[in-house]
Amino acid sequence: MANKDELIELVVDDVYGELDVPSVAGRDQWRATVVRTAADLRAMVLRHPWIAPELSQVGLVHIGPNALRTASGLLARFEAAGFPPDETERALGTLMAYVVGIATSEAAYLSLIARSGRTEQEWVAEVRPAFDEAARTHPPLREASSARQDAHPRQIRDADFVYGLERVLDGLAARLGA
């Protein structure tokens, strides 16, 4: 019989099976396919928030067939883009660290809200006055937050994820010309 860690690894790999890694695209399509897979990975973590600590705990290394299929598929995207062989695994690791890191933080935030029994909008509206008061002596922080206060919190999270992902990919794309 498997021990607890082996069972968790099997369940994590089963969840990785939800991901549909697109087939290798041409050099000019690498970024779009990586963005799609990154968004799908984030969505997977948010559907299964219990998985976030498991992904973080093992150092982003999973050896089940579904996890390996996902990693291999992403690696092929970076290879197709023209990354040098000694950088493809680093590019993959950088992408995974960003996506798993942000999704882990997001899953923890959403779990906190779920425990409160409120919707995300209700929770944000409830803490906003305290934030505004605390940020009173930090005008740039308060102004930046106020500029987004009418947006739905999910829209803000989605936009922040895309912004960070695009910056990570901008940095990786810069290596293609190096």
Side-chain angles (χ1 to χ4, degrees), residues 132-174:
D132 287 345
E133 178 58 31
R136 189 174 41 84
T137 57
H138 303 279
L141 182 60
R142 187 173 180 181
E143 288 169 19
S145 175
S146 294
R148 297 172 17 154
Q149 78 180 28
D150 293 332
H152 190 286
R154 167 104 192 223
Q155 291 172 323
I156 293 171
R157 287 186 293 107
D158 290 346
D160 288 351
F161 172 77
V162 169
Y163 177 85
L165 179 60
E166 292 294 331
R167 299 306 66 83
V168 168
L169 295 177
D170 288 346
L172 291 173

Side-chain angles (χ1 to χ4, degrees), residues 34 42 44 66-67 78 111 116 129-130:
V34 167
R42 172 184 172 238
M44 177 194 84
N66 292 319
F78 290 117
S111 293
S116 79

Side-chain angles (χ1 to χ4, degrees), residues 67-115:
L68 289 175
R69 177 184 52 81
T70 300
S72 180
L74 281 166
L75 199 60
R77 294 327 156 275
F78 290 117
E79 289 170 352
F83 283 89
D86 64 328
E87 289 194 33
T88 55
E89 193 171 326
R90 288 179 177 162
L92 172 61
T94 298
L95 173 75
M96 293 298 286
Y98 171 72
V99 175
V100 170
I102 198 80
T104 297
S105 176
E106 209 172 346
Y109 161 80
L110 291 172
S111 293
L112 170 74
I113 292 170
R115 287 191 305 273

